[in-house]
Amino acid sequence: MNEPDSPSLSRDRHLFGEGRKRLLTLDGGGIRGAISVAFLERIEDILSKQLNTDVRLGDHFDFVGGTSTGAIIAGSLALGYRTEQIKDFYIRLAPNAFKRDVWRVPILQSKFDARGLRGHIEAVIGDRRLSSPDLITGLGVVTKRIDTGSPWVITNNPRSPYWNDAKDYIGNKHYKLAALVRASTAAPHFFDPELISIIDGAPEPAAASGDRGVVRGMLGRMGFGRGPALDPKTFGMFVDGGVSPSNNPSLTFFQIVTLKAFGICWPMGPEKLTVVSIGTGAHRLRLSLESLGFARTPKLALHALMSMIKDTEVATLAQMQWFGECLAPWQINSEVGTLADDVLPGGKLFRFLRYDVRLEQEWLRSELGITLSDREVQRLRAMDDPSTVHELYEIGKIAADRTVKAEHWTSGAI
């Protein structure tokens, strides 16, 4: 049986209290999360002016959820950080989290050592658990447990399945928040997996001292070398939530706050529920055979994985705009448009806002007045180039000033 709700906890007042509910979801995208920060800064500024107080988005939203880089932002908001602090964290994080090591072996090792990223996440989150009362609102993190092939969407909802201990696992409430956020950012090829103890009393995984421990452990499990074997009954091996269908997690978290299985059960309807979804820069992934060059097969495999992630993002956005009353419609494609005028037989289920930019030459020029070469745009699309973080933030800031309108955030709209 799950623990009773506590009216004294800000988390439970947000999750289970009366009144209109507000859900904020944040896409994955690596360094491009700087775009999301710019949109959040604009939203925070609008709300602060309208309410004549210094608004924290963690207070305004009743649930914040994110995937990968979005999980870092969501966790920070749920801990009460303001957007200026998150922006500073991002700018300091980028060079250390995505630092190349000349001694790393391509293919055999991930591109980056996760210790830099892990250290920055731990500096912000500390040793807090998912049940920490410091989390001022509902929080969700999307990751994927790769050893069992199961997406894990883990929340601080005390009514959720697996919140409390059972005979063969420890409850979700005991998980370290920093480990969950790091797991959500463990993008294959870029970072090694994150190991998380799932049994009470299990020793800390070797991963805690650096990703070389993960490599040794995996080799030991496969029978190579003398690395420690990893018992799947003791540890879970987690990778980036972006390789699940939830790199855009808006539909996933909408289900969590409304379906009976999760115990939150928010009422639906545009006057009762608002969903805000923020992206990290949309673009179409194109590929020519000439561009593959050396190592054609692994490059093609990586491109196929990335394009599948993009396909699920578009499919999610299409469904959310079909289900929701759109205050800021977003073009799905040239065939279906925005879907804003398509209505389900029972009517719209929520009010919906989607903010993003298109990292496409023509869109940047026509919508934002920014002229860039094809090479410059390609550089901005990379998820792992820390030299672009300032440019991405500035593009996001220009887009936010033009598209995040004050009338979207009046008391009658959201």
Side-chain angles (χ1 to χ4, degrees):
M1 174 178 281
N2 285 344
E3 63 190 44
D5 308 333
S6 173
S8 65
L9 286 180
S10 176
R11 174 202 69 186
D12 290 354
R13 293 197 298 272
H14 277 292
L15 289 178
F16 310 120
E18 300 291 331
R20 177 200 290 271
K21 293 299 179 181
R22 305 179 181 98
L23 168 65
L24 172 65
T25 72
L26 299 150
D27 291 12
I31 287 295
R32 299 202 313 267
I35 294 172
S36 303
V37 173
F39 280 111
L40 292 171
E41 227 176 8
R42 168 72 171 159
I43 293 168
E44 185 184 79
D45 181 62
I46 289 174
L47 289 171
S48 295
K49 289 177 179 176
Q50 289 184 349
L51 300 174
N52 197 30
T53 187
D54 289 332
V55 169
R56 295 186 303 177
L57 296 182
D59 290 321
H60 184 78
F61 287 96
D62 300 294
F63 192 107
V64 293
T67 300
S68 192
T69 194
I72 296 175
I73 301 171
S76 301
L77 293 174
L79 286 170
Y81 284 90
R82 292 178 57 82
T83 55
E84 181 63 29
Q85 295 170 293
I86 300 172
K87 170 189 161 187
D88 179 63
F89 167 69
Y90 246 80
I91 290 173
R92 287 187 293 106
L93 164 72
N96 290 321
F98 293 91
K99 184 184 295 183
R100 293 294 300 271
D101 185 341
V102 296
W103 300 108
R104 300 185 75 79
V105 182
I107 306 299
L108 295 179
Q109 289 181 292
S110 59
K111 192 172 183 179
F112 302 104
D113 188 326
R115 283 176 290 185
L117 177 60
R118 185 182 294 110
H120 275 274
I121 292 173
E122 290 174 348
V124 172
I125 296 176
D127 199 42
R128 294 178 175 93
R129 307 279 170 164
L130 196 58
S131 57
S132 171
D134 292 349
L135 293 169
I136 62 175
T137 191
L139 172 66
V141 173
V142 181
T143 185
K144 183 168 183 176
R145 188 173 171 188
I146 199 69
D147 56 314
T148 61
S150 174
W152 278 35
V153 184
I154 307 180
T155 74
N156 67 339
N157 167 24
R159 297 181 184 176
S160 63
Y162 307 111
W163 178 253
N164 288 314
D165 299 344
K167 183 178 180 180
D168 54 349
Y169 61 82
I170 60 173
N172 289 355
K173 65 182 180 181
H174 297 298
Y175 289 151
K176 289 186 176 181
L177 182 56
L180 293 175
V181 171
R182 197 339 246 171
S184 185
T185 64
H189 170 70
F190 297 105
F191 294 105
D192 278 335
E194 182 78 1
L195 301 183
I196 297 178
S197 303
I198 60 174
I199 295 295
D200 191 23
E204 287 295 313
S209 61
D211 66 2
R212 285 176 293 183
V214 179
V215 175
R216 288 196 300 270
M218 287 189 289
L219 289 175
R221 186 175 179 183
M222 292 185 291
F224 298 103
R226 292 188 290 180
L230 301 179
D231 183 355
K233 296 180 180 179
T234 303
F235 302 113
M237 186 186 303
F238 293 85
V239 297
D240 196 308
V243 297
S244 75
S246 302
N247 197 55
N248 174 344
S250 54
L251 179 59
T252 296
F253 286 117
F254 166 65
Q255 292 173 328
I256 281 178
V257 299
T258 57
L259 294 180
K260 292 180 181 179
F262 302 102
I264 299 176
C265 303
W266 286 353
M268 287 181 275
E271 302 307 316
K272 299 176 181 178
L273 173 59
T274 297
V275 181
V276 180
S277 170
I278 300 183
T280 58
H283 61 278
R284 181 178 295 184
L285 281 175
R286 305 175 188 271
L287 180 70
S288 64
L289 289 176
E290 294 79 13
S291 66
L292 289 173
F294 178 72
R296 175 172 297 193
T297 299
K299 287 182 180 178
L300 185 60
L302 180 60
H303 181 90
L305 173 63
M306 299 302 293
S307 65
M308 185 173 66
I309 293 172
K310 290 292 179 185
D311 292 343
T312 61
E313 289 176 358
V314 173
T316 294
L317 183 55
Q319 291 177 77
M320 293 300 287
Q321 292 200 156
W322 184 27
F323 296 163
E325 179 185 280
C326 299
L327 299 183
W330 186 259
Q331 181 82 3
I332 304 300
N333 57 42
S334 59
E335 184 175 21
V336 302
T338 68
L339 295 177
D341 295 328
D342 288 81
V343 182
L344 296 169
K348 295 293 189 177
L349 303 179
F350 47 82
R351 193 156 286 160
F352 185 62
L353 285 161
R354 171 69 175 181
Y355 297 124
D356 201 357
V357 302
R358 288 197 187 279
L359 294 176
E360 306 275 1
Q361 274 182 295
E362 177 55 28
W363 191 92
L364 291 170
R365 185 192 62 77
S366 62
E367 298 295 325
L368 303 185
I370 298 173
T371 301
L372 297 172
S373 68
D374 181 65
R375 184 174 181 178
E376 289 171 323
V377 173
Q378 291 290 341
R379 175 172 158 268
L380 291 174
R381 290 176 179 176
M383 297 190 299
D384 60 335
D385 183 354
S387 70
T388 64
V389 67
H390 291 279
E391 295 166 80
L392 290 165
Y393 169 78
E394 291 301 325
I395 289 172
K397 187 171 175 58
I398 294 170
D401 288 342
R402 298 194 181 196
T403 61
V404 182
K405 302 183 183 302
E407 55 265 30
H408 295 167
W409 297 89
T410 60
S411 59
I414 185 172

